[in-house]
Amino acid sequence: MEIIISEEAAKWYKEELDLEDQASIRFFVRYGGVGGRIPGFSLGISVGPPRQIHTATTVNNLQFYIEEEDAWYFENQNLLITLDEQFEEPQFTYQ
C-alpha cells in the first residue's frame, strides 16, 4: 500500500496545523466518525515522530505515515489524499 498525497493537500496540512518543514503526520484508525473505508471507523491524524512505519511518503518537506498497527484498515489499498476545493479540506480515497 502507498500513501499518495497531492501537493495542495500537503500544503493544507502544513498551513492548518502550523507545521514546520520535516514534521511528521500520522494517519491512524479511530473508532467512530464518518466517511471511513470500513463502517464504524475513520481516519484520525496526529503530529509526531513515527515508531514503526508501515508506509510513508514525503511531500513538501512533510512526512505522512501509517504505523504497522493501523495497516489492517487499508487491506493493501492505497490511500489517495487530495484537496476538495469546494470544501477546502482533504478528501480521502481508497484505491
Side-chain angles (χ1 to χ4, degrees), residues 45-85:
I45 62 166
S46 63
V47 177
R51 294 180 313 240
Q52 200 172 16
I53 291 178
H54 176 74
T55 191
T57 191
T58 301
V59 179
N60 291 347
N61 294 315
L62 297 176
Q63 180 185 47
F64 298 88
Y65 69 95
I66 295 166
E67 295 278 6
E68 283 289 338
E69 66 190 56
D70 295 311
W72 63 270
Y73 181 77
F74 300 93
E75 294 182 352
N76 297 318
Q77 291 190 330
N78 295 328
L79 174 61
L80 174 62
I81 306 163
T82 56
L83 188 65
D84 183 318
E85 293 181 19

